[in-house]
Amino acid sequence: MHIKSDMRNLFLLFFLLSFFSSSAQYCHPSKPDVLDGIFTSSHTDFNILAYPYLREADVMWSKRIWRVIDMREKINHMLYFPVEPIPSRKSFMQMVMNALTCNAAKYQVTPYDIVDDEFTVRLTRKQVIENAFTREEISFENEMGEIVNKMVENPFDFSSVKRLRVKEDWFFDRQRSVFDVRILGVCPVLEKFDEMGEYKGEQPLVWLYFPELRMPMSITPIFNPNNDAATITYDHLFMKRIFSSYVFKESNVYDRKINTYKQNLDLLLEGKRIEEELFNYEQDLWEY
């Protein structure tokens, strides 16, 4: 009886240690004590530019679009790298997991379930971590010489997130006479593989409300390929739209994605057609 009780206590201790050690991997590594550079940076906090005031009566036209940002494209590498966290920079997914776990109370970014993209079902910090883990059953020999099985949790692989889904609204504001866009949400997408390493498809992880995500994005510097002295952030990247993407859905009466009625090359051409419609609408508003 004492042996079984001790084994249960050891298993509980192992589970708690594995949970907290796995949670700690999302935290950004601390900065070194020495100065790594030729000057001390004073721009530790960045101001978030507020959205222009928008009245419902001033929106004379709008269109909802869903995009995919493939971080494997060269222009999108700033979102994907570094694969492993470093003190000076972190990838978009490392920043997201840090905001949802280690600094959840500070940033107050609310994660939402993937049951829909309308931000209806909220998730807890524990649920986010459980969804991010991969579990597998292993067999080992205990101290009594018996073969036992147990489930173990593998740490989250940041490099497995290679795509982002973006939900946005395009609209014309007649008060300012501008054709503008507002990003509403971002959803990281995992790549799933079986035990043989074969690709099994995509798995959306969590939906994040973009206005809440702007706070951690605005204080997270990213690599500037043109000038190391000019600091840019993830908020700059999204607000100035320094990324490449393609359309995979537009608002429609059937609420269907493009891949349900177009395949292969026609799928990309349909996305281009939707983007061209947005461009033509803006151009047709003016007389030259």
Side-chain angles (χ1 to χ4, degrees):
M1 292 296 292
H2 292 292
I3 295 177
K4 292 184 178 180
S5 177
D6 292 340
M7 290 296 294
R8 284 196 298 267
N9 292 335
L10 287 174
F11 178 76
L12 179 60
L13 178 61
F14 173 79
F15 174 78
L16 292 175
L17 289 175
S18 63
F19 176 81
F20 287 111
S21 62
S22 300
S23 302
Q25 67 159 327
Y26 305 128
C27 299
H28 192 52
S30 59
K31 294 186 177 181
D33 297 329
V34 298
L35 176 62
D36 182 20
I38 57 176
F39 58 85
T40 302
S41 176
S42 59
H43 294 82
T44 55
D45 293 322
F46 301 91
N47 295 325
I48 300 178
L49 296 178
Y51 292 121
Y53 178 70
L54 182 66
R55 298 190 311 153
E56 180 182 1
D58 292 331
V59 180
M60 59 174 292
W61 181 91
S62 68
K63 186 73 170 179
R64 179 156 294 177
I65 299 293
W66 288 261
R67 296 179 178 273
V68 169
I69 299 177
D70 193 332
M71 294 187 288
R72 294 172 299 181
E73 294 187 37
K74 188 174 182 179
I75 191 175
N76 299 327
H77 280 180
M78 291 183 292
L79 291 160
Y80 187 73
F81 293 99
V83 176
E84 296 295 334
I86 59 177
S88 59
R89 288 187 293 114
K90 47 188 167 181
S91 68
F92 180 80
M93 199 57 210
Q94 293 160 10
M95 179 271 298
V96 166
M97 296 305 295
N98 182 276
L100 293 178
T101 55
C102 303
N103 295 311
K106 177 181 179 182
Y107 297 126
Q108 297 182 351
V109 177
T110 305
Y112 292 90
D113 201 306
I114 59 171
V115 292
D116 57 42
D117 54 19
E118 298 180 356
F119 315 107
T120 56
V121 181
R122 297 189 177 188
L123 298 178
T124 63
R125 172 181 177 272
K126 181 179 179 181
Q127 288 174 318
V128 172
I129 296 177
E130 289 177 350
N131 292 339
F133 281 6
T134 57
R135 298 174 177 85
E136 61 179 340
E137 185 177 7
I138 62 172
S139 301
F140 66 99
E141 183 177 348
N142 60 15
E143 296 179 354
M144 306 298 296
E146 301 172 342
I147 302 298
V148 295
N149 299 326
K150 73 172 181 179
M151 298 296 296
V152 296
E153 296 176 329
N154 298 321
F156 181 70
D157 182 13
F158 295 110
S159 63
S160 64
V161 179
K162 294 184 174 63
R163 295 181 181 88
L164 301 175
R165 294 180 182 176
V166 178
K167 175 184 176 183
E168 59 190 17
D169 278 348
W170 288 84
F171 61 95
F172 183 79
D173 182 1
R174 66 178 183 180
Q175 178 67 26
R176 297 183 294 132
S177 295
V178 295
F179 192 66
D180 208 349
V181 59
R182 296 268 182 96
I183 298 178
L184 303 178
V186 178
C187 175
V189 179
L190 297 170
E191 285 189 340
K192 303 299 292 183
F193 297 88
D194 60 14
E195 296 179 354
M196 303 300 295
E198 295 184 2
Y199 179 70
K200 304 299 292 184
E202 296 180 342
Q203 177 188 340
L205 181 60
V206 63
W207 271 104
L208 304 168
Y209 187 52
F210 186 79
E212 293 180 347
L213 193 61
R214 289 191 66 192
M215 175 58 71
M217 288 197 307
S218 66
I219 62 174
T220 306
I222 61 177
F223 179 73
N224 186 344
N226 300 316
N227 185 1
D228 287 347
T231 303
I232 60 175
T233 65
Y234 284 116
D235 192 55
H236 292 144
L237 183 144
F238 280 97
M239 297 303 292
K240 296 182 182 296
R241 304 187 70 82
I242 315 173
F243 58 83
S244 174
S245 63
Y246 60 88
V247 176
F248 76 93
K249 181 182 177 182
E250 66 170 337
S251 55
N252 60 87
V253 65
Y254 308 106
D255 192 32
R256 62 183 181 179
K257 300 177 183 177
I258 296 177
N259 60 7
T260 60
Y261 62 94
K262 296 288 185 179
Q263 299 296 328
N264 302 325
L265 180 60
D266 291 336
L267 190 151
L268 295 177
L269 293 177
E270 179 69 6
K272 290 293 184 181
R273 182 193 65 81
I274 295 172
E275 290 185 332
E276 187 175 355
E277 280 188 355
L278 294 175
F279 175 79
N280 290 337
Y281 179 84
E282 179 184 13
Q283 297 300 309
D284 293 343
L285 289 171
W286 311 105
E287 181 177 340
Y288 300 97

